Amino acid sequence: MNQDTICAVSTAPGTGGIAVIRISGPEAVAICDSIFIPKKEGKSLSVQKGYTLSYGSIQRNGEPLDDVMLSLFRNPHSFTGEDTVEITCHGSIYIQQQILQLLIERGCRSALPGEYTQRAFLNGKMDLSQAEAVADLIASTSAGQHKLALSQMRGGFSNELKGLRAQLLHITSLMELELDFSDHEELEFADRSELRSLADHIEQVISNLAQSFSIGNAIKNGIPVAIIGETNAGKSTLLNALLNEEKAIVSDIHGTTRDVIEDTININGQLFRFIDTAGIRETNDTIEVLGIQRSFKALDQAQIIILMYDLSRDCKTFEAFYQEIAPRLVNKSVILAMNKCDVSNTFTPTYPFPDEWHKIAISAKKRLHIPELQKLLIEISAISSIQENDIIVTNVRHYEALTHALEAIHRVQEGLNTNLSGDFVSQDLRECIFHLSDIAGEVTTDQVLQNIFQHFCIGK
């Protein structure tokens, strides 16, 4: 497949006045040379150096199609590692299709989804985790997503994995060297205490990477925030105020919201996924009971809880409500949103609510202090604790591989602590290396590659 020369439009249709058509493969320069007429004589692509621009026109049968700029990248110094030409033409769909048709007539074929990035991976320009980050970068819709994708694409995660594999290979080589000289019991190449210390370090790094997935997944898909409270506490009104649209039905009738309503919003570059839940109360209504069950499920899955309290009501009913849901709030970041502060601002609980709760008085209906609530969400979200050089895992495939690698290194630690035979420890070490290598694509099957790249856009 890599012997084909491929072409595709790399810009989204109808997005601007210009478009870019990318041609990559062994015949890229020759094919483009056959349809390109430079403005200056003697400036054909075949004699140009890499990283140069050429101005001229694309012609069919002597008739110009468009005035264009051609960017030339010689192998291996291109995105794909192959000879690559990028044609910058006007954004007309007709012009793009005519140029593509002409390229195909001269020997190109249409690129498959993700084929440019796949060739970059196969030609060693990036590993698989970096290739996957290209798709994440294209799909990013917030500053948090962009930051993580860019860090991974530039090799932050890859370098961490390389360091781990190098340390694991060092342990493995020492263990297997002992096995080669097993007849000489007096020879010991591997100091067990040193190996245990190194294995402990590796286990800690892998564990930290695996644990970071909960943060990375939240940033990638939106930090889940559940809006919880009694019926008619103002949950749906707050959701509408946060989203700045009438997403949820608002009514004075108790039990209006009977299912979870979910939507996302970008606040200061961070994506939040807000879930408006059914009011929690005792009821015989079958449909409302199902909605309340889903509220509890949303409560369990959320990282941040906005607990709504209606300031116009008796605090004792809220205290009873809190005691019912308290076990589900353990290890959650809770914001006590005291609603209807335009009507009343008195909050005099007799029950000792947790000191670590964040408290804010709002009026969802009047949209008072909503910006302050958004600022509070940013402050307590996971993104605020991330440093520039932190490695955060965002990909489910990577997380699964890290989980398997963690299981293997745990067996290595156990084997070293119990003086297990070196051949068994060595096998677990190699399994750990295998799963880490799977992330980088060193041992990945064609089926996995196909599954990854088929979800890319054409032209990427």
Side-chain angles (χ1 to χ4, degrees), residues 396-413:
V396 175
R397 188 183 72 84
H398 301 169
Y399 172 69
E400 290 177 348
L402 286 168
T403 301
H404 294 312
L406 194 58
E407 292 171 354
I409 199 65
H410 283 159
R411 292 196 297 272
V412 170
Q413 289 176 301

PDB file of all heavy atoms in Angstrom, residues 396-413:
ATOM      1  N   VAL A 396      -8.672   5.305  26.047  1.00  0.00           N
ATOM      2  CA  VAL A 396      -9.115   4.068  26.707  1.00  0.00           C
ATOM      3  C   VAL A 396      -8.171   2.919  26.386  1.00  0.00           C
ATOM      4  O   VAL A 396      -7.846   2.096  27.253  1.00  0.00           O
ATOM      5  CB  VAL A 396     -10.558   3.714  26.282  1.00  0.00           C
ATOM      6  CG1 VAL A 396     -10.977   2.374  26.873  1.00  0.00           C
ATOM      7  CG2 VAL A 396     -11.526   4.799  26.728  1.00  0.00           C
ATOM      8  N   ARG A 397      -7.705   2.839  25.151  1.00  0.00           N
ATOM      9  CA  ARG A 397      -6.786   1.757  24.756  1.00  0.00           C
ATOM     10  C   ARG A 397      -5.505   1.825  25.576  1.00  0.00           C
ATOM     11  O   ARG A 397      -4.980   0.796  26.024  1.00  0.00           O
ATOM     12  CB  ARG A 397      -6.476   1.859  23.258  1.00  0.00           C
ATOM     13  CG  ARG A 397      -5.694   0.676  22.699  1.00  0.00           C
ATOM     14  CD  ARG A 397      -5.360   0.889  21.231  1.00  0.00           C
ATOM     15  NE  ARG A 397      -4.336   1.889  21.038  1.00  0.00           N
ATOM     16  CZ  ARG A 397      -3.039   1.663  21.113  1.00  0.00           C
ATOM     17  NH1 ARG A 397      -2.593   0.449  21.401  1.00  0.00           N
ATOM     18  NH2 ARG A 397      -2.168   2.626  20.914  1.00  0.00           N
ATOM     19  N   HIS A 398      -4.995   3.022  25.767  1.00  0.00           N
ATOM     20  CA  HIS A 398      -3.780   3.198  26.568  1.00  0.00           C
ATOM     21  C   HIS A 398      -4.029   2.793  28.024  1.00  0.00           C
ATOM     22  O   HIS A 398      -3.184   2.151  28.646  1.00  0.00           O
ATOM     23  CB  HIS A 398      -3.304   4.654  26.520  1.00  0.00           C
ATOM     24  CG  HIS A 398      -3.016   5.137  25.135  1.00  0.00           C
ATOM     25  ND1 HIS A 398      -2.788   6.470  24.845  1.00  0.00           N
ATOM     26  CD2 HIS A 398      -2.922   4.479  23.948  1.00  0.00           C
ATOM     27  CE1 HIS A 398      -2.563   6.610  23.551  1.00  0.00           C
ATOM     28  NE2 HIS A 398      -2.657   5.409  22.990  1.00  0.00           N
ATOM     29  N   TYR A 399      -5.192   3.178  28.535  1.00  0.00           N
ATOM     30  CA  TYR A 399      -5.528   2.852  29.924  1.00  0.00           C
ATOM     31  C   TYR A 399      -5.603   1.336  30.127  1.00  0.00           C
ATOM     32  O   TYR A 399      -5.088   0.808  31.122  1.00  0.00           O
ATOM     33  CB  TYR A 399      -6.852   3.503  30.308  1.00  0.00           C
ATOM     34  CG  TYR A 399      -7.375   3.082  31.659  1.00  0.00           C
ATOM     35  CD1 TYR A 399      -6.730   3.471  32.830  1.00  0.00           C
ATOM     36  CD2 TYR A 399      -8.507   2.274  31.765  1.00  0.00           C
ATOM     37  CE1 TYR A 399      -7.201   3.077  34.073  1.00  0.00           C
ATOM     38  CE2 TYR A 399      -8.980   1.876  33.005  1.00  0.00           C
ATOM     39  CZ  TYR A 399      -8.325   2.278  34.150  1.00  0.00           C
ATOM     40  OH  TYR A 399      -8.789   1.876  35.378  1.00  0.00           O
ATOM     41  N   GLU A 400      -6.224   0.638  29.192  1.00  0.00           N
ATOM     42  CA  GLU A 400      -6.331  -0.824  29.307  1.00  0.00           C
ATOM     43  C   GLU A 400      -4.951  -1.473  29.273  1.00  0.00           C
ATOM     44  O   GLU A 400      -4.663  -2.397  30.049  1.00  0.00           O
ATOM     45  CB  GLU A 400      -7.209  -1.370  28.180  1.00  0.00           C
ATOM     46  CG  GLU A 400      -8.682  -0.998  28.335  1.00  0.00           C
ATOM     47  CD  GLU A 400      -9.517  -1.494  27.167  1.00  0.00           C
ATOM     48  OE1 GLU A 400      -8.927  -1.916  26.147  1.00  0.00           O
ATOM     49  OE2 GLU A 400     -10.762  -1.448  27.275  1.00  0.00           O
ATOM     50  N   ALA A 401      -4.069  -0.983  28.375  1.00  0.00           N
ATOM     51  CA  ALA A 401      -2.721  -1.537  28.288  1.00  0.00           C
ATOM     52  C   ALA A 401      -1.942  -1.265  29.574  1.00  0.00           C
ATOM     53  O   ALA A 401      -1.209  -2.142  30.068  1.00  0.00           O
ATOM     54  CB  ALA A 401      -1.988  -0.947  27.077  1.00  0.00           C
ATOM     55  N   LEU A 402      -2.097  -0.070  30.128  1.00  0.00           N
ATOM     56  CA  LEU A 402      -1.413   0.264  31.382  1.00  0.00           C
ATOM     57  C   LEU A 402      -1.916  -0.606  32.529  1.00  0.00           C
ATOM     58  O   LEU A 402      -1.137  -1.019  33.395  1.00  0.00           O
ATOM     59  CB  LEU A 402      -1.631   1.740  31.719  1.00  0.00           C
ATOM     60  CG  LEU A 402      -0.850   2.760  30.880  1.00  0.00           C
ATOM     61  CD1 LEU A 402      -1.383   4.165  31.109  1.00  0.00           C
ATOM     62  CD2 LEU A 402       0.645   2.701  31.190  1.00  0.00           C
ATOM     63  N   THR A 403      -3.208  -0.899  32.535  1.00  0.00           N
ATOM     64  CA  THR A 403      -3.781  -1.763  33.577  1.00  0.00           C
ATOM     65  C   THR A 403      -3.170  -3.158  33.515  1.00  0.00           C
ATOM     66  O   THR A 403      -2.805  -3.739  34.548  1.00  0.00           O
ATOM     67  CB  THR A 403      -5.309  -1.854  33.411  1.00  0.00           C
ATOM     68  OG1 THR A 403      -5.870  -0.540  33.496  1.00  0.00           O
ATOM     69  CG2 THR A 403      -5.919  -2.717  34.500  1.00  0.00           C
ATOM     70  N   HIS A 404      -3.034  -3.686  32.299  1.00  0.00           N
ATOM     71  CA  HIS A 404      -2.411  -5.013  32.139  1.00  0.00           C
ATOM     72  C   HIS A 404      -0.931  -4.973  32.511  1.00  0.00           C
ATOM     73  O   HIS A 404      -0.406  -5.919  33.128  1.00  0.00           O
ATOM     74  CB  HIS A 404      -2.570  -5.505  30.696  1.00  0.00           C
ATOM     75  CG  HIS A 404      -3.994  -5.782  30.307  1.00  0.00           C
ATOM     76  ND1 HIS A 404      -4.844  -6.517  31.100  1.00  0.00           N
ATOM     77  CD2 HIS A 404      -4.711  -5.433  29.206  1.00  0.00           C
ATOM     78  CE1 HIS A 404      -6.023  -6.616  30.513  1.00  0.00           C
ATOM     79  NE2 HIS A 404      -5.977  -5.961  29.368  1.00  0.00           N
ATOM     80  N   ALA A 405      -0.250  -3.884  32.144  1.00  0.00           N
ATOM     81  CA  ALA A 405       1.173  -3.742  32.507  1.00  0.00           C
ATOM     82  C   ALA A 405       1.329  -3.655  34.020  1.00  0.00           C
ATOM     83  O   ALA A 405       2.291  -4.207  34.585  1.00  0.00           O
ATOM     84  CB  ALA A 405       1.754  -2.495  31.836  1.00  0.00           C
ATOM     85  N   LEU A 406       0.387  -2.990  34.668  1.00  0.00           N
ATOM     86  CA  LEU A 406       0.436  -2.860  36.122  1.00  0.00           C
ATOM     87  C   LEU A 406       0.258  -4.221  36.795  1.00  0.00           C
ATOM     88  O   LEU A 406       0.951  -4.544  37.772  1.00  0.00           O
ATOM     89  CB  LEU A 406      -0.656  -1.897  36.589  1.00  0.00           C
ATOM     90  CG  LEU A 406      -0.582  -1.371  38.024  1.00  0.00           C
ATOM     91  CD1 LEU A 406       0.737  -0.650  38.269  1.00  0.00           C
ATOM     92  CD2 LEU A 406      -1.757  -0.444  38.311  1.00  0.00           C
ATOM     93  N   GLU A 407      -0.638  -5.041  36.272  1.00  0.00           N
ATOM     94  CA  GLU A 407      -0.830  -6.392  36.814  1.00  0.00           C
ATOM     95  C   GLU A 407       0.453  -7.206  36.676  1.00  0.00           C
ATOM     96  O   GLU A 407       0.841  -7.954  37.586  1.00  0.00           O
ATOM     97  CB  GLU A 407      -1.981  -7.079  36.083  1.00  0.00           C
ATOM     98  CG  GLU A 407      -3.351  -6.454  36.364  1.00  0.00           C
ATOM     99  CD  GLU A 407      -4.440  -7.021  35.459  1.00  0.00           C
ATOM    100  OE1 GLU A 407      -4.098  -7.820  34.548  1.00  0.00           O
ATOM    101  OE2 GLU A 407      -5.618  -6.674  35.656  1.00  0.00           O
ATOM    102  N   ALA A 408       1.124  -7.053  35.526  1.00  0.00           N
ATOM    103  CA  ALA A 408       2.362  -7.810  35.284  1.00  0.00           C
ATOM    104  C   ALA A 408       3.481  -7.368  36.224  1.00  0.00           C
ATOM    105  O   ALA A 408       4.209  -8.206  36.771  1.00  0.00           O
ATOM    106  CB  ALA A 408       2.788  -7.646  33.824  1.00  0.00           C
ATOM    107  N   ILE A 409       3.623  -6.059  36.427  1.00  0.00           N
ATOM    108  CA  ILE A 409       4.707  -5.587  37.295  1.00  0.00           C
ATOM    109  C   ILE A 409       4.423  -5.942  38.753  1.00  0.00           C
ATOM    110  O   ILE A 409       5.354  -6.147  39.545  1.00  0.00           O
ATOM    111  CB  ILE A 409       4.944  -4.063  37.122  1.00  0.00           C
ATOM    112  CG1 ILE A 409       6.334  -3.661  37.645  1.00  0.00           C
ATOM    113  CG2 ILE A 409       3.877  -3.248  37.817  1.00  0.00           C
ATOM    114  CD1 ILE A 409       7.483  -4.231  36.885  1.00  0.00           C
ATOM    115  N   HIS A 410       3.139  -6.057  39.124  1.00  0.00           N
ATOM    116  CA  HIS A 410       2.805  -6.521  40.471  1.00  0.00           C
ATOM    117  C   HIS A 410       3.281  -7.959  40.673  1.00  0.00           C
ATOM    118  O   HIS A 410       3.787  -8.320  41.752  1.00  0.00           O
ATOM    119  CB  HIS A 410       1.293  -6.434  40.704  1.00  0.00           C
ATOM    120  CG  HIS A 410       0.814  -5.039  40.979  1.00  0.00           C
ATOM    121  ND1 HIS A 410      -0.492  -4.639  40.809  1.00  0.00           N
ATOM    122  CD2 HIS A 410       1.481  -3.926  41.421  1.00  0.00           C
ATOM    123  CE1 HIS A 410      -0.607  -3.367  41.131  1.00  0.00           C
ATOM    124  NE2 HIS A 410       0.575  -2.919  41.496  1.00  0.00           N
ATOM    125  N   ARG A 411       3.138  -8.769  39.630  1.00  0.00           N
ATOM    126  CA  ARG A 411       3.623 -10.158  39.722  1.00  0.00           C
ATOM    127  C   ARG A 411       5.146 -10.192  39.795  1.00  0.00           C
ATOM    128  O   ARG A 411       5.722 -11.043  40.491  1.00  0.00           O
ATOM    129  CB  ARG A 411       3.122 -10.971  38.521  1.00  0.00           C
ATOM    130  CG  ARG A 411       1.617 -11.203  38.515  1.00  0.00           C
ATOM    131  CD  ARG A 411       1.229 -12.311  37.549  1.00  0.00           C
ATOM    132  NE  ARG A 411       1.565 -11.964  36.175  1.00  0.00           N
ATOM    133  CZ  ARG A 411       0.758 -11.296  35.354  1.00  0.00           C
ATOM    134  NH1 ARG A 411      -0.428 -10.888  35.775  1.00  0.00           N
ATOM    135  NH2 ARG A 411       1.132 -11.018  34.120  1.00  0.00           N
ATOM    136  N   VAL A 412       5.801  -9.261  39.100  1.00  0.00           N
ATOM    137  CA  VAL A 412       7.261  -9.160  39.177  1.00  0.00           C
ATOM    138  C   VAL A 412       7.687  -8.820  40.607  1.00  0.00           C
ATOM    139  O   VAL A 412       8.609  -9.446  41.163  1.00  0.00           O
ATOM    140  CB  VAL A 412       7.785  -8.077  38.199  1.00  0.00           C
ATOM    141  CG1 VAL A 412       9.267  -7.804  38.454  1.00  0.00           C
ATOM    142  CG2 VAL A 412       7.570  -8.516  36.755  1.00  0.00           C
ATOM    143  N   GLN A 413       7.014  -7.847  41.206  1.00  0.00           N
ATOM    144  CA  GLN A 413       7.343  -7.469  42.583  1.00  0.00           C
ATOM    145  C   GLN A 413       7.156  -8.646  43.537  1.00  0.00           C
ATOM    146  O   GLN A 413       8.001  -8.902  44.392  1.00  0.00           O
ATOM    147  CB  GLN A 413       6.450  -6.301  43.019  1.00  0.00           C
ATOM    148  CG  GLN A 413       6.781  -4.979  42.355  1.00  0.00           C
ATOM    149  CD  GLN A 413       5.793  -3.891  42.749  1.00  0.00           C
ATOM    150  OE1 GLN A 413       4.587  -4.008  42.520  1.00  0.00           O
ATOM    151  NE2 GLN A 413       6.298  -2.828  43.338  1.00  0.00           N
TER     152      GLN A 413
END
